[in-house]
Amino acid sequence: MENGAHTPVTLPQDLFICIDHVGLAVPDLDEAIRFHTEVFGWRLLHRETNEEQGVEEAMIGTGSQLPESAQIQLLAPLREDSAIGKFLTKNGPGMQQLCYRVADLEHVSAVLRERGVRLLYPESKTGTGGARINFVHPKDAGGVLLELTEPPAAAAH
Ligand code: MC0
């Protein structure tokens, strides 16, 4: 190092805020909600149907308020040829996805694409509670289907 000067250090920039949820593929949503609430003591936080994704889904958590709540998403197929339908046929019930929360999905998507990571959709789609979502192909994420979610402004932390 010349003249004792410090070389500027470039720190890595965080792309992800936290794990938003883990998604479980289930054949029957009502039965899965019953099991996870009555046996494991989770609370039902939210439930909705997402036609575009071909799922009926429920978010369950350890508390009613983020960020205290850890969240699990239960995903049941609306159709056999949906992502969850195909997953169930091939693997049976189980962990289908890991979801990272991001502050700016467009920015994170651009950075990942620049780094050679394949995102499944050219543009973001709508997910739980109006979030913007996209997915990283499992082949580019160590064998894990990785969802990226940008919550609506009011719900973001
Ligand atoms: C497939 N593969 C997986 C996987 N699904 N690996 C890990 N986790 C998964 N969930 C692997 C297969 O084993 C295979 O590897 C390779 O990827 C290609 O699989 P495939 O069977 O040929 O492909 P498909 O047709 O089943 O499609 C897989 C793909 C699909 C990931 C592209 O599931 C998809 O588009 N997912 C994104 C949408 C989604 O999951 N929607 C439901 C959640 P080999 O080695 O055998 O070649 S909706 C949601 O989550 C929303 C509501 C929200 O949170 O807000």
Side-chain angles (χ1 to χ4, degrees):
M1 202 172 293
E2 279 175 32
N3 306 324
H6 292 288
T7 308
V9 176
T10 309
L11 294 172
Q13 297 289 307
D14 286 341
L15 287 181
F16 310 130
I17 297 170
C18 61
I19 293 175
D20 188 271
H21 63 264
V22 170
L24 308 183
V26 303
D28 180 331
L29 190 62
D30 288 325
E31 173 51 25
I33 292 171
R34 191 205 61 74
F35 175 76
H36 286 275
T37 55
E38 291 180 14
V39 178
F40 287 159
W42 289 88
R43 301 178 195 195
L44 177 61
L45 303 177
H46 176 79
R47 182 176 177 153
E48 76 177 64
T49 297
N50 186 325
E51 285 287 347
E52 187 179 33
Q53 290 294 327
V55 294
E56 200 189 350
E57 53 118 332
M59 203 64 91
I60 56 174
T62 52
S64 57
Q65 293 282 315
L66 283 169
E68 292 81 11
S69 177
Q71 297 188 114
I72 301 287
Q73 186 180 44
L74 304 173
L75 296 154
L78 289 176
R79 306 178 283 275
E80 257 180 46
D81 66 349
S82 63
I84 298 300
K86 286 200 241 171
F87 182 93
L88 285 170
T89 303
K90 193 169 173 187
N91 308 285
M95 209 175 288
Q96 188 256 354
Q97 58 166 264
L98 171 65
C99 179
Y100 293 156
R101 191 181 310 160
V102 301
D104 182 343
L105 181 56
E106 267 198 41
H107 168 70
V108 172
S109 301
V111 171
L112 292 178
R113 285 194 181 103
E114 206 177 276
R115 295 177 183 175
V117 173
R118 278 171 298 168
L119 296 181
L120 293 183
Y121 309 134
E123 302 290 338
S124 63
K125 292 188 185 277
T126 303
T128 308
R132 304 308 305 163
I133 61 168
N134 208 332
F135 293 84
V136 174
H137 195 283
K139 295 293 177 196
D140 288 358
V144 175
L145 174 61
L146 199 58
E147 181 181 355
L148 305 174
T149 185
E150 177 189 326
H157 290 275

